[in-house]
Amino acid sequence: MKSFAAGVTSPSTTGAALSVWHEGEEVVNLWAGTADARDGSLWAADTLQVIFSASKGLTAVVLMQMHERGELNIDAPIRSVWPQFAAHGKGDISIGDVLAHQAGVSAPREDLSLEEVLDSAALAERIAAQVPLWTPGAAHAYHAITYGTIAQEIVRRVDGRELHEVFQQEIASPLEADVSLKLHPHHLRRVARIETTPNWDRARSSGSDEDDAWIGRALTMGGAFPRPLVAGDEGFNDPRVILAGVAGAGGVGTASGLARIWSAVVRETRGVRLLNDASVARLAAVRSEGPWHFNPGPPFHRWGAGVQLSSDVTPWFSPDSLGHDGAGGQSGIADHKLGVALGYVTNHMDTVDRVAPIIEAFGSLEPVS
C-alpha cells in the first residue's frame, strides 16, 4: 500500500508495520524499515514495538471480559472492589467512568522517581490515598499512566491474577497473538528502538500554561519519565521500563498481533470471539467527551469504558469504530458493523497522523450482508 509506504519516511533509521483483518481473516500484513538504527537491523515479521496507550484498549477488553463473565460489574462503584480508593470522596465513581478518565487522579500531586512508578503495588496505594484534582465523575482528563495502575489493581483484587497474566491467558494465548502487557526478558532483543522527531520532542498542548503543566505531569508522573516519553536511552527505551509492564502504557507487540486481538473483539477470529455483541456495545457506550478538566484545546476525544471511540481526533473507519491509539502513531482499532480491524506500530515517534491516510486509502467500506 502506497499510504503505508509513505508513512515510513526514514527507512534507514526507523520502521513500521501494518495489519488489517476483515471478517476474521488477515488481508494485509506489511512491515518496512529499520528496527534499530544503532546496528541497522531491519524490521521483521516478529519485531515488537512498545504500543504505549494502545495498551489501554487491550486493558479495557480484559475488564469487559470480566464483566461478561460476571466477575465484575463495570457500573459498580470502584469502592466495591477497592475500598481504599474511596479516600477523599473518590469511592462512588463507577469503574467504567474511572476507565473513561473521570477519576480525578490523572497525575500525582508530588514528584515521583522512576523506581516509585515502576512499583505498581506501591503506586496503586499512593493513587488510592491521593486527594483528587477535581470531583470524580464531574469532569474528565486523560489519565496517561494512572489509568493502567488503577485497572491493574482492580484486576488484581477481583481476579487474584496480575493484569498481564489475565491478558496473556484469556486473550493473547488463545489467539496466538504476539502481544504482551509485560514482556518476558527473553523477547527484549526483538523490541524496536524508538526514535523521536524534533516536532515530537517539542510537542505541547494548545491549552493554558497551567493546564499544559498538569497534562505534562500526567505523562511524566512528576519527573519519572521524560515529557516525550522517550529521550535517547531514557523512558520507554530503557529496558527497566520495557520489562516492568507499565500498565496502560507499556504493552509490546506486533501490528498483526494487535489487529488480531481487535478483530476477535468484533468477529470470530481463529476460532475465538473475545466479547459478545452486548459487551461490545457496553464497552463503546459514550462516557466522556468534550473539553477536559485540564483543557488541551480542541479537537477532543470520545471515550467509552476505557476505549477511544471515533471522534474528530480519531475518525477511523466509521462512527462505530472503537479501539485505542498510542503515543507516536500506534493504533489498534476495530469496527463492529464493518467487521474490520487494524493494527499499526512504528518506532518513529512524530506528531504526523500516519494511520488516517491508510484508512482513507480503503475508501468507502460497507458492511458484509
Side-chain angles (χ1 to χ4, degrees), residues 14-351:
T14 58
L18 168 70
S19 174
V20 179
W21 293 62
H22 183 244
E23 297 297 333
E25 298 293 335
E26 191 167 37
V27 295
V28 175
N29 188 16
L30 302 173
W31 59 90
T34 300
D36 193 331
R38 295 172 300 181
D39 60 12
S41 55
L42 298 179
W43 203 286
D46 67 345
T47 295
L48 299 172
Q49 166 63 32
V50 177
I51 60 174
F52 294 102
S53 285
S55 310
K56 291 180 174 66
L58 303 180
T59 298
V61 174
V62 170
L63 287 161
M64 189 54 67
Q65 271 197 338
M66 293 171 65
H67 176 93
E68 187 175 304
R69 292 194 297 264
E71 300 167 4
L72 174 73
N73 181 357
I74 206 76
D75 294 311
I78 190 170
R79 59 177 162 74
S80 65
V81 298
W82 188 0
Q84 293 84 349
F85 196 87
H88 307 292
K90 300 193 302 298
D92 290 335
I93 184 173
S94 74
I95 293 168
D97 288 343
V98 166
L99 298 176
H101 305 281
Q102 297 182 29
V105 286
S106 58
R109 289 183 175 273
E110 69 278 11
D111 291 348
L112 299 178
S113 68
L114 179 61
E115 290 72 20
E116 288 173 318
V117 171
L118 297 186
D119 185 340
S120 65
L123 181 59
E125 289 182 5
R126 189 185 297 269
I127 293 170
Q130 180 172 310
V131 176
L133 303 173
W134 65 86
T135 302
H140 72 280
Y142 193 52
H143 289 53
I145 304 297
T146 57
Y147 167 107
T149 307
I150 294 169
Q152 187 174 43
E153 186 65 16
I154 291 170
V155 171
R156 183 183 293 129
R157 287 171 175 269
V158 172
D159 185 275
R161 291 174 290 175
E162 296 294 329
L163 169 63
H164 70 90
E165 294 174 330
V166 179
F167 173 79
Q168 188 64 44
Q169 294 166 19
E170 308 294 341
I171 294 176
S173 289
L175 287 164
E176 297 182 324
D178 200 357
V179 183
S180 174
L181 294 184
K182 186 175 183 180
L183 189 70
H184 190 284
H186 175 74
H187 297 293
L188 186 61
R189 57 183 174 78
R190 294 200 283 136
V191 178
R193 178 177 172 82
I194 301 165
E195 305 289 341
T196 62
T197 67
N199 283 343
W200 179 262
D201 293 337
R202 293 191 299 262
R204 294 292 184 272
S205 75
S206 59
S208 69
D209 289 346
E210 181 179 0
D211 284 351
D212 184 73
W214 279 107
I215 292 167
R217 194 170 186 84
L219 293 165
T220 68
M221 293 296 286
F225 301 112
R227 172 74 184 252
L229 297 175
V230 177
D233 292 333
E234 298 180 7
F236 285 83
N237 268 336
D238 185 336
R240 294 175 299 169
V241 175
I242 297 172
L243 295 175
V246 178
V252 177
T254 65
S256 183
L258 187 58
R260 183 179 307 187
I261 290 170
W262 281 106
S263 175
V265 170
V266 298
R267 291 291 189 274
E268 183 174 311
T269 300
R270 302 290 177 89
V272 176
R273 179 74 191 272
L274 294 175
L275 297 175
N276 63 33
D277 289 351
S279 294
V280 173
R282 186 180 291 270
L283 185 65
V286 179
R287 290 176 180 264
S288 297
E289 59 184 334
W292 303 6
H293 179 76
F294 299 121
N295 193 352
F300 299 111
H301 292 88
R302 298 164 70 238
W303 277 285
V307 294
Q308 288 175 340
L309 308 174
S310 185
S311 69
D312 291 341
V313 183
T314 55
W316 291 336
F317 290 102
S318 84
D320 297 298
S321 297
L322 74 159
H324 218 292
D325 62 10
Q330 329 308 320
S331 284
I333 59 179
D335 194 291
H336 183 250
K337 287 189 177 180
L338 298 175
V340 66
L342 176 148
Y344 181 88
V345 299
T346 178
N347 63 343
H348 192 197
M349 296 181 74
D350 198 357
T351 56

